[in-house]
Amino acid sequence: MADAELILPTIDDVRTAASRIDGIAIETPLLESSSLNRMLGGRLLVKAGNLQVTGSFKLRGAANRVAALTDDERRRGVIARSSGNHGLAIAYCAQLMGTTAIVVAPDTAPATKIARIKAYGALVVQVPMERLSEVAR
């Protein structure tokens, strides 16, 4: 990938993504702590992505990508490698948008995350961490 040209998203890309995920991801609040602001000498806002239905901000990226699938890609399904939050978001979005998902996870992934991914209908393949990239091709 060293020869690949870096292509940065444009404001139109951001607007398109926002349109795709509308109704899937919720607009989570920004939280502020006056005590942290004092400690830092500035203003710190924290995005509460944990309030998404899947429990993390990763839902937004997964929803955008699954919503952008072509009809052929949707028929073939998606594959992701994840130890939890991304896999959970992919599984949720695949079920919601009528496609299938395979999540390749390390064999050390938390059992509760794996159970939630499976509950959304994804096939989970657990492998040793060093084989994750090889299996998720």
Side-chain angles (χ1 to χ4, degrees), residues 5 13 20-21 23 36 45 49 51 57 71 85 88-90 101 103 108 117 123-125 129:
E5 182 181 333
D13 295 330
R20 282 188 193 124
I21 69 173
L36 282 176
L45 299 173
L51 298 177
F57 70 94
D71 289 341
N85 289 338
L88 186 57
I90 286 290
V103 176
T108 56
I117 292 168
L123 171 65
V124 176
V125 177
M129 181 65 87

Side-chain angles (χ1 to χ4, degrees), residues 75-89:
R75 277 191 294 281
R76 289 185 289 150
V78 295
I79 185 168
R81 62 178 183 214
S82 170
S83 60
N85 289 338
H86 177 64
L88 186 57

Side-chain angles (χ1 to χ4, degrees), residues 4 20 22 29-30 33 39 46 58 72 107 137:
R20 282 188 193 124
D22 188 38
L30 290 172
S33 165
M39 285 174 48
V46 179
K58 304 223 174 175
D72 182 54
D107 54 9
R137 288 185 180 201

Side-chain angles (χ1 to χ4, degrees), residues 32-73:
E32 185 172 14
S33 165
S34 58
S35 60
L36 282 176
N37 287 348
R38 280 192 302 280
M39 285 174 48
L40 296 170
R43 190 169 186 210
L44 175 69
L45 299 173
V46 179
K47 188 76 167 149
N50 62 310
L51 298 177
Q52 293 294 348
V53 67
T54 58
S56 84
F57 70 94
K58 304 223 174 175
L59 176 65
R60 292 190 301 269
N64 182 47
R65 183 60 188 105
V66 175
L69 293 174
T70 66
D71 289 341
D72 182 54
E73 290 169 331

